[in-house]
Amino acid sequence: MAARPATCADRSRPAELSALTGLGDIHHRRGRLTQATAYAQQALDGARDATDRNAQYEAHQCLGRIQHTTNNYRESLDHHRAALELATDLDHPPDQVRAHDGLAHAHQSLSDPDQARIHWQAALDLLGMSDADITDEPEVTAVAIRTHLAQLEA
């Protein structure tokens, strides 16, 4: 049986999922948390349907940040754990850094500085191995992570 040729719809699905996650992020940054959650969840559902693991990662990461903003720290942990698992499976260290940062923030908010330290240190170690100081998230940099670690020690 021959493989069917890719259709326009097949090729546009990753772009659609990326756009949905992007809309979730934009609404999150503007404080429109209900809309942000709806777009990010739609992206996650679509990514699961399409079995697009990278899009699932991005949607989980977005939902984790949104849940953190709404003080739903346990839900934030769940999404960032899923994101870390996907980033690890995909062997993508920059995304692992972002997921570790999300986990660290959630643990810190749950008054668990030891776990926060473990995740920020893992993020910093991954950045060091890649000779990078930044990630796709402007707030997740080596400087920011070092600052978080120093604040935990204070």
Side-chain angles (χ1 to χ4, degrees), residues 2-141:
R4 70 177 177 82
T7 66
C8 243
D10 294 335
R11 289 188 296 269
S12 67
R13 188 66 173 161
E16 176 188 352
L17 297 172
S18 179
L20 287 168
T21 302
L23 286 167
D25 184 53
I26 289 167
H27 283 285
H28 176 224
R29 290 178 186 274
R30 293 194 174 165
R32 299 181 196 135
L33 302 177
T34 300
Q35 297 94 326
T37 302
Y39 281 117
Q41 187 63 54
Q42 190 177 350
L44 181 57
D45 294 343
R48 285 178 174 152
D49 289 346
T51 63
D52 184 332
R53 295 170 59 78
N54 188 61
Q56 288 176 47
Y57 164 83
E58 293 294 346
H60 274 298
Q61 187 68 10
C62 186
L63 284 162
R65 296 289 189 198
I66 294 165
Q67 292 302 317
H68 189 270
T69 299
T70 59
N71 301 325
N72 294 315
Y73 306 124
R74 297 263 176 231
E75 290 85 356
S76 179
L77 281 175
D78 291 343
H79 284 293
H80 288 300
R81 281 186 189 121
L84 180 59
E85 183 177 322
L86 287 159
T88 301
D89 289 348
L90 293 166
D91 193 26
H92 198 256
D95 287 345
Q96 292 172 39
V97 170
R98 294 169 55 209
H100 276 297
D101 182 71
L103 285 163
H105 280 287
H107 281 295
Q108 183 181 38
S109 295
L110 289 165
S111 300
D112 190 348
D114 293 335
Q115 283 298 309
R117 183 178 299 104
I118 287 167
H119 286 288
W120 273 320
Q121 189 60 57
L124 196 57
D125 292 346
L126 285 163
L127 281 173
M129 289 188 308
S130 67
D131 292 327
D133 287 337
I134 60 171
T135 67
D136 289 343
E137 287 183 54
E139 302 85 12
V140 183
T141 65

